[in-house]
Amino acid sequence: MRRQPLVGALSRATGRERYSARETATAAAFMAPSLLLFTVWIFYPLGRSVYLSLHGNDLFGRPARFVGGAQFQELFASPSLREAIVRTAAFTVLTVVPGLVLGTLIALALQAPIRGIGVFRTLLATPFAFSVATASVIFQIFFNPGVGVFNAILGLIHLHPVGWLTNPATALPSVALASVWLQLGYNVLVLSAGLQGIPAEIYEAARLDGARGLTMARRITLPMLTPTLFFLLVVSTVVAIQSFGQIHILTRGGPAGATTTLVYSLYLNAFAFGSTNYGLASAQALVLFAIVVVVTALQFGFLERRVFYR
Amino acid sequence: MKRIAVLIASLVMVSACGGGSPSSSGPAADETAPAGKVVEVSFWHSFAAGANQDATNVLVQRFNDAHTGKIHVTPAFAGDYDTTFSKIKAAVQANQTPSIVQIYDVGTRFMIDSKQITPMQKFIDEDKYTTDLEPVIANYFSINGKLDSMPWNNSLPLLYINRDAFTAAGLDPNKPPATLDEIRADAQKLTKKDASGQTVQYGFGAAIYGWFLEQFAARADVLMCNNGNGRDKDATKILSDSPQLVKVMDWWKQMLADGLALNTGRPTGNMQTAFKAGRVAMTLESTGVLGGFISGSKFQVGAGPYPRSEASTAGGPIVGGAALWIMNNGHPAYEQRAAWEFVKFLEQPDSMAYWHIKTGYFPDTKKSQEDPTDVAFRQTRPQFDVALQQLHAETTDKATQGCVLGVMPQARQANEVAMEQILASGASSKTALSGAVTSIQPAIDQYNQAVGAT
């Protein structure tokens, strides 16, 4: 059974013969629960965001007056939006790329036929079990410039201490480091499953044809792994763009705004320090939504054709 | 709808049992709770699990035990100060406010403007109750001499020192530095490096916390916002870029540049850990952490008054902390009376002494300071006396009263961004602090407009 690329499958469905009323009813019945949840948790909030973004707020954040596009005007006029977008992009690249590369390398290493490999597999998948909050609090202790583990290690090899989260230059990469660790367990798990799914016959056939080591990895393993990698790329990009917990706990968007991503600046406008500018925050949320849609569409448009579906 | 129905029902019940027996404190008849019904009082506070929350729960338990069958207080942790402040706004929107909420000092102006509270002064006047509050504590929370809230957990910032490190460096631990210049001089002796040139002990360090900047302003006897710190009339501008504060930030920046101080960023917990671990020999912190410092350090902890930037000794730090507010919307009069009973209970000398001993927050009333258990406690922990002496030495003027501003929490945040720009990004103090003043201006204008319009 050939798996269809998602976009292709959708476009092809329209060309098919029409479904009978009975089939449509069955489909609707199956979709009803998820549609209901989507309506409550996705569609309604989305509609509400549009409504709020067109209104100004009173003292308590209640929509008080219709302001049209004024919130969007204010948003696009301020340089902070562009800065936040650049920061979000940098953060996404810094978490997604290392997450995929390290995840693949670790998943490959975990295929090694040695005794007790199960222990290592379990250990390396454990980050998946950590909540963002727990991991961030632990990383905060590691990053502490005075008594943290990271600076202690640097001290052992006679390197100068680094102001991980206190220096604007290193804060974003440091938060990304914690995020990579958080994401890694899931990546390893999914990639390991992907590797196990590659049939042994293909390797055998390649070996008979004289393929070895790197050739095997480049010509067989990687192409066969592309569906998994593509899935992880899309999912972890969205996760990275929407990251909040680690930023909130580690830096609160600082120092001097160095880690104020789009999501965090939205939070600052809507909730932080007694702020209740829900209108401006909703406008930001819609911009964020548009960005996620565009990025995901681009990934499907440009990268998916390089994915090898069996 | 349901709430309104309940409200009407309870009002009907109240009027129906108007002839009910008056309770010992003797409130008016229409304020009596429905006969035989326990009045539920919800209480939001900002103490996460730990010593402060434990002490809160003990006091609530004592109150409930003494009012069995009449009043029942249910405490709930609503998140840290900022979160509670945001939550109360959301609660107003949803008509789901608690009976009592603990709000930090900088939320004072907003709570008054919200018109969602019953001023504490109303209950004080009705009961002809004497608050007996330490004047400097009442000072911050009073506007035009009236209390809108009841100060509860209050503290001053202190300069904490590692007494062992002082002795080792040949300094007198009984004479903590009093000015920024003295801190610098001592820090030069206290900063120690190992053989490879790594600093193992820094002389000084403080969290990047806007509260400290406000304290430096009050200590130098200058205003933090205009119109007499918002006491004469609503403030329309913050004054973070005063020459005194520029001087403080220049000093702080130079301390970091010369390797005499450590920067651990905004989270106050980071600097507390560094101090307790002996990595930093002097730090700025609230009196509220004194208990934790003493129990968490392997060395002798000393304390001195908050340092000043100016030669003049005029001014003094602001009594910070939080106060209790009784909410009015959706809370019948008898419930508000019950909430007031609980507030009065917390202000009792024995409650306040217990609070002081368990948390380190001030015994806010003069009677609680004379409470035998408190007196005995202070004899064993002389550092707590330093805090109290500083409280008594306070002069009260508009500068030490502190700024009341509707968007003060956001103003503090703007100041913290400026502090980070100066200390971490190398921005000039004057430019960054002026930037804070301009960046917060739209929020101040919008707020004042919104309040003026209602």
Side-chain angles (χ1 to χ4, degrees), chain A residues 10-117:
Chain A
L10 283 175
S11 57
R12 221 158 295 143
T14 50
R16 272 199 201 144
E17 61 191 281
R18 306 202 100 196
Y19 296 105
S20 73
R22 207 186 137 86
E23 281 175 318
T24 314
T26 317
F30 275 114
M31 281 164 67
S34 70
L35 270 180
L36 182 74
L37 290 177
F38 266 60
T39 308
V40 173
W41 299 111
I42 312 278
F43 301 139
Y44 170 71
L46 189 61
R48 181 84 185 154
S49 296
V50 173
Y51 174 79
L52 286 175
S53 71
L54 300 174
H55 288 78
N57 305 103
D58 71 0
L59 275 191
F60 306 101
R62 289 179 291 218
R65 60 196 184 282
F66 182 79
V67 295
Q71 304 283 15
F72 288 94
Q73 254 170 20
E74 187 185 336
L75 185 60
F76 290 122
S78 86
S80 60
L81 176 71
R82 201 179 45 82
E83 287 165 18
I85 290 176
V86 170
R87 247 175 247 133
T88 310
F91 179 76
T92 307
V93 172
L94 283 172
T95 50
V96 173
V97 175
L100 288 183
V101 173
L102 283 175
T104 310
L105 292 178
I106 292 172
L108 280 172
L110 288 177
Q111 300 300 308
I114 55 165
R115 262 159 57 96
I117 191 74

Side-chain angles (χ1 to χ4, degrees), chain A residues 57-63 74 140 144-147 154-155 158-161 166-168 249-252 254-257 267-268 271-278, chain B residues 80 82 85-86 89-90 92-93 104 110 113-114 116 196-198 202 262-267 270 273-274 277 279 409-410 413 417 420-421 424-425 446-447 450-451:
Chain A
N57 305 103
D58 71 0
L59 275 191
F60 306 101
R62 289 179 291 218
E74 187 185 336
Q140 188 171 37
N144 187 307
V147 295
L154 289 183
H158 298 293
L159 286 175
H160 276 291
T166 51
N167 182 339
I249 292 173
L250 290 173
T251 60
R252 302 225 154 190
Y267 165 79
L268 289 178
F271 307 110
F273 311 107
S275 179
T276 43
N277 202 341
Y278 295 141
Chain B
D80 62 20
D82 281 319
F85 190 55
S86 298
K89 291 185 176 187
V92 168
Q93 280 199 55
Y104 55 3
F110 173 85
D113 292 335
S114 78
Q116 301 286 316
S196 63
Q198 308 265 1
Y202 290 88
L262 176 69
N263 175 17
T264 55
R266 281 197 209 191
N270 278 356
T273 312
R279 297 275 290 157
Q410 285 158 275
Q413 144 79 7
V417 170
E420 283 177 333
Q421 287 167 344
S425 311
Q446 277 165 24
Y447 181 92
V451 174

Side-chain angles (χ1 to χ4, degrees), chain A residues 29 31 45 56 69 98 103-104 113 115 140 168 171 175-176 183 208 244 258 261 296 298 307:
Chain A
M31 281 164 67
T104 310
R115 262 159 57 96
Q140 188 171 37
V175 177
Q183 183 70 26
L208 286 179
F244 174 77
T261 57
T296 311
L298 285 178
V307 174

